[in-house]
Amino acid sequence: MSDGRNTPRGGERNHADTDERHTTGPAPRRPAQVWRQPAGTQARLRTLACNDVALVLDERDDLFYTRAALHAHRPEEGRITVQPTPAAGSPAALAHDMLYALGKRLAPGPNTPDAWLDSASAAWLAAAAWGIATGVRHVMVPRTHLLTSRRIDQLLAWRALTGTQLTLLWQMGQHGLPPVLAQVERRIRGRNQFEALLTEPGPIPARPSFPPSPAAMTRPAARLARLPPARPQAARLASLGPGRRPHPCTSATATGQLIQASPPVVITSEDAAALAALAHPLIAGALSVLAFTQARLGSLRFTRDLDITADVSVVKLHEASHRNCPLYAVPLWARPLLAGARAHHRLAAHPPGDSMFDSLMLTEARHVRAHAQALSRPGLPLSVGIPAP
């Protein structure tokens, strides 16, 4: 892994950490937090830690363990190594580090289109969506002893939501272990045990690479991560505007039995890589569709979860009249991006009939435009005219 990070918000992640540390003395003033643990979370996290987390004890801070963990970073094999940014004060800093390890890059500078990542809840939700969509099975975190208790809880909540195996490197004396990690039963001591851990076959993902139907998402997992609840049916209907109702189009799978999907437009590998690096799952998914269909963003207004086939190989777009809604084959490079958008939609507890990209037409419209303008070029036209609601 490279250490040349593209930090968001003009280097905001590098100022002094304001979270409390595992030290004595008066606690400094806390910044405003968005990610809050619901009642009973600590008990659930203790159970998770005992059953699903491995703790590597490196009391002498041997450089061997850090080097081995960094070398084990192989996203293509479902294993990533997350390097916590030292002394990062942003509440979402560890989620940013997770996104970086997942191959996502954040737009730097003030007024960045990735300003949504200032919210810890939004950043962790994005990291969970990408982890599920890309099939991450094992996450290693060196220097865990430098994390605050709050960030360790965030990490364990993310693990519970994604079903990944978590290996934490505690590189100081055991006396500093927080209570939640003191309950971990699987402890790795010595180089031989650690090397054996790295050579173990990868765990079977708790969820497949392409997420299951929303009905399979358990409510306890959603509550654990404090994700936003689904909107009431009345609110969803009201958001469609006066006199408008959910469209009656059939799903992509049903339509695919009647008509053949149109082939995708070919783009360069460089353009595909640039789209894949976008951190927001909905923006990455939407712009990828515009890239391989050359459609306008408005055609995604009514795209639902059920307008994407289970294997993410076909997507259905919609016209205002819903008379000739086209099907498009999804190229291989775009499937993880659409899978990320779908996972994000499901983790936010939306029903399958809700529009997946509705927020891009409203609250996230300026961010979509900014990313599209940065990526657009003659060989990659991205039409993001936002239609009136």
Side-chain angles (χ1 to χ4, degrees):
M1 292 178 63
S2 169
D3 291 331
R5 301 202 178 194
N6 185 7
T7 56
R9 311 292 291 178
E12 182 180 8
R13 293 167 59 188
N14 294 326
H15 54 69
D17 194 342
T18 51
D19 288 338
E20 70 270 15
R21 298 284 171 186
H22 305 300
T23 56
T24 57
R29 186 170 177 255
R30 300 179 184 177
Q33 293 287 329
V34 179
W35 180 286
R36 295 184 178 90
Q37 304 292 352
T41 294
Q42 286 296 330
R44 286 194 295 273
L45 292 182
R46 289 191 188 97
T47 302
L48 290 170
C50 290
N51 296 335
D52 304 297
V53 179
L55 190 63
V56 179
L57 298 174
D58 172 25
E59 297 188 14
R60 297 183 178 180
D61 197 5
D62 188 342
L63 187 58
F64 163 81
Y65 293 95
T66 300
R67 286 177 173 172
L70 297 180
H71 183 70
H73 178 76
R74 295 169 185 166
E76 67 282 357
E77 298 178 8
R79 180 165 58 201
I80 63 173
T81 300
V82 179
Q83 300 183 67
T85 300
S90 168
L94 187 57
H96 295 179
D97 296 328
M98 182 74 73
L99 287 166
Y100 186 92
L102 288 163
K104 307 306 169 183
R105 300 296 178 262
L106 314 179
N111 302 317
T112 169
D114 284 328
W116 62 277
L117 275 171
D118 289 346
S119 163
S121 295
W124 280 110
L125 177 59
W130 287 126
I132 291 172
T134 57
V136 170
R137 300 175 297 172
H138 188 183
V139 175
M140 306 191 70
V141 184
R143 321 298 298 172
T144 305
H145 63 283
L146 298 179
L147 298 178
T148 65
S149 295
R150 183 182 297 110
R151 288 181 179 169
I152 290 173
D153 287 350
Q154 290 174 348
L155 192 59
L156 293 174
W158 181 89
R159 193 233 67 81
L161 200 61
T162 59
T164 59
Q165 176 182 326
L166 189 61
T167 298
L168 306 177
L169 277 66
W170 188 266
Q171 295 168 287
M172 65 174 291
Q174 296 185 53
H175 65 276
L177 281 173
V180 68
L181 294 186
Q183 303 296 319
V184 174
E185 294 180 353
R186 187 180 186 187
R187 301 194 176 191
I188 308 298
R189 292 181 173 87
R191 294 188 177 191
N192 292 338
Q193 287 189 16
F194 188 54
E195 289 177 336
L197 172 70
L198 296 180
T199 57
E200 288 180 359
I204 298 174
R207 296 187 175 96
S209 178
F210 300 120
S213 64
M217 295 290 184
T218 60
R219 289 191 177 275
R223 287 198 300 269
L224 178 62
R226 297 292 291 169
L227 299 178
R231 293 178 296 166
Q233 178 69 13
R236 293 198 298 273
L237 293 177
S239 69
L240 295 173
R244 297 172 65 183
R245 291 293 181 266
H247 62 81
C249 278
T250 58
S251 68
T253 300
T255 306
Q257 296 175 356
L258 303 175
I259 64 174
Q260 186 174 1
S262 300
V265 175
V266 177
I267 68 172
T268 67
S269 59
E270 291 79 9
D271 289 337
L275 288 164
L278 295 176
H280 196 311
L282 294 182
I283 293 177
L287 293 185
S288 70
V289 173
L290 302 192
F292 68 78
T293 64
Q294 294 190 350
R296 296 178 62 85
L297 184 63
S299 64
L300 293 175
R301 171 178 287 281
F302 299 107
T303 298
R304 308 155 296 179
D305 187 329
L306 50 83
D307 288 319
I308 303 171
T309 56
D311 60 357
V312 201
S313 64
V314 175
V315 63
K316 182 178 182 179
L317 306 187
H318 295 279
E319 298 178 345
S321 64
H322 301 296
R323 293 178 181 175
N324 297 295
C325 298
L327 286 182
Y328 289 93
V330 181
L332 291 176
W333 65 263
R335 293 182 188 183
L337 307 188
L338 264 184
R342 167 183 274 178
H344 188 278
H345 184 75
R346 291 179 177 180
L347 288 172
H350 291 291
D354 274 9
S355 168
M356 283 180 53
F357 300 105
D358 191 52
S359 65
L360 300 187
M361 317 292 172
L362 302 171
T363 56
E364 302 291 341
R366 63 187 179 90
H367 299 154
V368 179
R369 289 193 186 98
H371 278 298
Q373 290 171 0
L375 291 170
S376 292
R377 54 184 62 90
L380 186 67
L382 296 172
S383 181
V384 292
I386 307 296

